[in-house]
Amino acid sequence: MIPPLADLLDSARVVALPLHSRFRGVDVREALLFEGPEGWAEFSPFVEYDDVEASTWLAAAIDFAWRPQPEPLRDRIGVNATIPAIEAGRVTELLSRFTGCRTAKVKVAEPGQTLADDVARVRAVREAMGPEGRIRVDANGAWNVDEAEHAVHALGEHDLEYVEQPCATVPELTELRTRVKYMGIPVAADESVRKSSDPLAVARAGAADLLVIKAQPLGGITHALQIVTAAGLPVVVSSALDTAIGLSQGAALAAALPTLDYDCGLGTASLFLDDVADLRPVDGSIPVGRVTPDAEALSRLAASDERREWWFARLARCHYELSAAAH
């Protein structure tokens, strides 16, 4: 069931959240929030995504706001700190915002930076977290196989938990996994699941040891759980730089998984200077449960009139895509 567009627009609010540091090329994260019978949901596909891809994110938001979700199997979710591609000297200060987190995901392979920058950043995280901390790195598919193999060797001395999406394609991931298997460093797939028309291809090809899943781009919690079941691999639930509303959907997904062996990438509220509600990590975890945005925060963080109209027009186009696909 797809509710009428008017029902979505009735409560829709567009917010612009400032970040402490540039992340995924943005300094401000925009999102459209609306309320349905089950509570608030978030529609925030990145601005460069076309309407077809973005409509899957809308399906997830509608699902979360209009339909009851699976019963949670846990009431808190352990989360990792997220370290953008900052200089090594800023690592300790940023880590301090992720209270109690004992796992860190470090962005690497940033355009305009070198492997030496990545090594310095990961070394700074290891020094700050000590030998017991867990470190995972995320290249967002930026390396070819040879570059990835070289990088894994260079970064591996810092005891990596896994390397996330080191290469862009499934065949590349498969080859890299074969090359670095002797090192005992698992390969995780994110974009190969999130942006693929066939999210199970990476599992069938033996291209990854675990999957990184996100509720919004996979069309909602129910569909994401179906992918997890079919893939048969361990998973990490992560955010797409969501507001507290989107993070609550990610937490609901993580809470519904039969097993959850890894800390999840749902601590990203600490990357924001301000948010519509407070869902920053406490003692390394966030609670499971619906989140209602603070009315004053919605006003304080309201996007400009121009950006609001841009998002409303995008919402209308994606609603049309969903409606057309349903008939």
Side-chain angles (χ1 to χ4, degrees):
M1 187 276 294
I2 301 172
L5 178 61
D7 288 1
L8 305 184
L9 289 168
D10 185 54
S11 60
R13 303 290 294 268
V14 179
V15 293
L17 276 55
L19 286 101
H20 284 283
S21 303
R22 176 173 284 260
F23 189 80
R24 281 193 96 264
V26 300
D27 300 297
V28 176
R29 178 69 164 123
E30 295 179 340
L32 186 152
L33 310 176
F34 56 71
E35 186 179 17
E38 296 292 327
W40 284 84
E42 173 174 339
F43 169 62
S44 58
F46 295 107
V47 295
E48 67 269 22
Y49 290 2
D50 64 29
D51 292 343
V52 173
E53 184 170 3
S55 66
T56 303
W57 297 55
L58 179 56
I62 290 171
D63 181 78
F64 196 53
W66 258 261
R67 299 183 184 95
Q69 299 300 304
E71 283 296 316
L73 302 177
R74 45 191 72 83
D75 58 10
R76 294 192 71 85
I77 305 300
V79 300
N80 63 258
T82 300
I83 306 300
I86 57 174
E87 63 233 33
R90 294 186 57 204
V91 162
T92 301
E93 179 265 330
L94 185 55
L95 273 175
S96 69
R97 300 193 194 118
F98 293 87
T99 309
C101 292
R102 295 304 303 155
T103 301
K105 179 165 87 167
V106 185
K107 290 292 183 178
V108 293
E110 181 82 358
Q113 294 189 6
T114 66
L115 180 57
D117 297 320
D118 296 337
V119 171
R121 188 179 312 113
V122 171
R123 180 185 299 115
V125 174
R126 174 54 70 204
E127 290 172 353
M129 298 190 79
E132 299 301 316
R134 293 179 291 273
I135 299 176
R136 54 188 67 160
V137 298
D138 181 9
N140 291 116
W143 291 319
N144 63 37
V145 178
D146 290 339
E147 290 169 338
E149 183 180 18
H150 181 56
V152 170
H153 279 278
L155 297 166
E157 66 177 274
H158 299 296
D159 189 22
L160 300 183
E161 182 182 37
Y162 61 76
V163 55
E164 180 176 330
Q165 200 69 45
C167 306
T169 70
V170 171
E172 286 176 316
L173 290 180
T174 305
E175 182 177 348
L176 178 70
R177 186 165 172 254
T178 300
R179 290 192 193 183
V180 301
K181 191 174 183 65
Y182 75 96
M183 296 181 67
I185 298 175
V187 173
D190 176 4
E191 284 89 345
S192 291
V193 178
R194 174 166 51 92
K195 297 178 72 69
S196 174
S197 58
D198 181 7
L200 295 176
V202 68
R204 284 198 301 268
D209 299 283
L210 63 149
L211 306 181
V212 178
I213 61 170
K214 300 175 181 177
Q216 278 203 82
L218 291 180
I221 290 174
T222 299
H223 190 236
L225 290 173
Q226 291 169 348
I227 291 171
V228 171
T229 300
L233 292 173
V235 298
V236 175
V237 179
S238 193
S239 88
L241 201 57
D242 302 329
T243 74
I245 305 302
L247 289 176
S248 72
Q249 186 180 21
L253 170 55
L257 290 166
T259 58
L260 190 63
D261 298 327
Y262 293 88
D263 286 337
C264 290
L266 299 172
T268 50
S270 292
L271 296 174
F272 293 122
L273 287 163
D274 200 358
D275 201 345
V276 297
D278 188 1
L279 206 60
R280 289 171 296 182
V282 175
D283 294 330
S285 67
I286 63 170
V288 175
R290 293 277 179 176
V291 171
T292 300
D294 177 73
E296 197 278 326
L298 286 175
S299 298
R300 182 175 68 247
L301 294 166
S304 67
D305 291 348
E306 179 185 0
R307 296 306 299 164
R308 184 181 69 245
E309 293 307 313
W310 186 91
W311 277 96
F312 281 8
R314 189 186 204 190
L315 177 68
R317 296 193 309 271
C318 291
H319 185 273
Y320 174 82
E321 291 284 347
L322 283 184
S323 300
H327 292 92

